[in-house]
Amino acid sequence: RKEVEQDPGPFNVPEGATVAFNCTYSNSASQSFFWYRQDCRKEPKLLMSVYSSGNEDGRFTAQLNRASQYISLLIRDSKLSDSATYLCVVLGGSNYKLTFGKGTLLTVNP
Amino acid sequence: EAGVTQFPSHSVIEKGQTVTLRCDPISGHDNLYWYRRVMGKEIKFLLHFVKESKQDESGMPNNRFLAERTGGTYSTLKVQPAELEDSGVYFCASSQEDFAETQYFGPGTRLLVL
């Protein structure tokens, strides 16, 4: 079983749509959780951290369910500029070694 | 402030040749990390430096890979001899604090071994 598994995608949605990304992780001792965004042929960039209570940043909402070892990211009112690969990232066993999912490609169409 | 830089941006070599990748972290960042993504796979951790010391090289695939960080500034990752399966994107990241949330990634070096 992979350490971090994501929806394989790709997702194609129209502008204004709501899109949800799902992720599960295998290490129950994992400590911290993140969503990264990676544009085509660019480096991964931190989008947001994911907290147990859930957190929101504008149109983006992240949720964590430790019991189910499940993480989600919701994008509301999607924009063309949201087109990118979304990476679910988990930190476990150390405070520096990031474990990445394969990513889910999102394309927002006009 | 300049971000993490990597050189070269692309490298195409033949199997059996040697390639050296360079990473310049953000100035003042003691922590430097190497990751790589091979085709169709997820990004994976290779190793972690604190200043010039290797703290964790558990992700290095085999002894054909050698990472150095002399003087605690820039780092190099040498692959010798390169094999086909080494093709992928090699990312470097740096952080001031030894904590994952603060890792800043470079643009990566795209390596193709023919």
Side-chain angles (χ1 to χ4, degrees):
Chain A
R1 182 184 173 185
K2 287 195 176 298
E3 293 184 71
V4 178
E5 295 210 58
Q6 298 186 236
D7 293 327
F11 292 172
N12 282 277
V13 302
E15 271 187 289
T18 296
V19 59
F21 300 91
N22 301 307
C23 171
T24 57
Y25 60 94
S26 61
N27 184 355
S28 59
S30 298
Q31 306 156 22
S32 303
F33 310 90
F34 312 94
W35 285 100
Y36 274 69
R37 170 196 169 124
Q38 186 174 22
D39 292 291
C40 187
R41 303 184 74 80
K42 299 285 189 180
E43 69 272 23
K45 290 186 178 178
L46 178 66
L47 178 65
M48 58 196 301
S49 301
V50 188
Y51 303 116
S52 296
S53 55
N55 48 300
E56 189 173 303
D57 182 3
R59 298 181 293 107
F60 299 82
T61 301
Q63 301 261 337
L64 167 65
N65 184 322
R66 285 187 184 270
S68 304
Q69 296 179 206
Y70 167 84
I71 308 161
S72 67
L73 174 70
L74 188 75
I75 305 177
R76 291 180 301 279
D77 188 24
S78 53
K79 312 291 185 190
L80 296 178
S81 57
D82 294 334
S83 297
T85 294
Y86 289 82
L87 301 162
C88 178
V89 184
V90 171
L91 182 66
S94 74
N95 60 347
Y96 57 81
K97 190 186 299 185
L98 299 175
T99 301
F100 287 79
K102 286 181 71 172
T104 304
L105 175 63
L106 171 67
T107 301
V108 181
N109 302 300
Chain B
E1 179 182 294
V4 177
T5 58
Q6 293 187 243
F7 182 83
S9 59
H10 296 78
S11 181
V12 181
I13 61 172
E14 293 188 351
K15 175 182 171 180
Q17 290 186 322
T18 298
V19 62
T20 300
L21 314 181
R22 173 170 170 146
C23 168
D24 285 79
I26 293 172
S27 178
H29 283 193
D30 288 339
N31 294 276
L32 187 149
Y33 316 83
W34 284 97
Y35 293 83
R36 79 169 178 177
R37 182 172 195 158
V38 296
M39 184 72 74
K41 303 282 190 179
E42 61 276 13
I43 297 171
K44 286 201 168 179
F45 169 86
L46 296 179
L47 87 160
H48 171 215
F49 283 99
V50 177
K51 296 185 180 179
E52 66 275 9
S53 299
K54 290 178 190 173
Q55 292 297 296
D56 181 351
E57 50 184 333
S58 61
M60 294 286 264
N62 52 60
N63 59 10
R64 295 185 295 103
F65 290 75
L66 175 64
E68 295 180 320
R69 193 183 182 195
T70 307
T73 53
Y74 71 91
S75 174
T76 58
L77 179 64
K78 181 191 289 188
V79 185
Q80 179 182 31
E83 298 289 345
L84 301 180
E85 64 264 26
D86 301 332
S87 297
V89 184
Y90 290 76
F91 291 104
C92 174
S94 73
S95 70
Q96 191 168 31
E97 305 293 334
D98 184 18
F99 183 65
E101 190 164 338
T102 59
Q103 289 184 31
Y104 298 90
F105 282 78
T109 293
R110 282 156 184 78
L111 174 65
L112 178 60
V113 182
L114 301 176

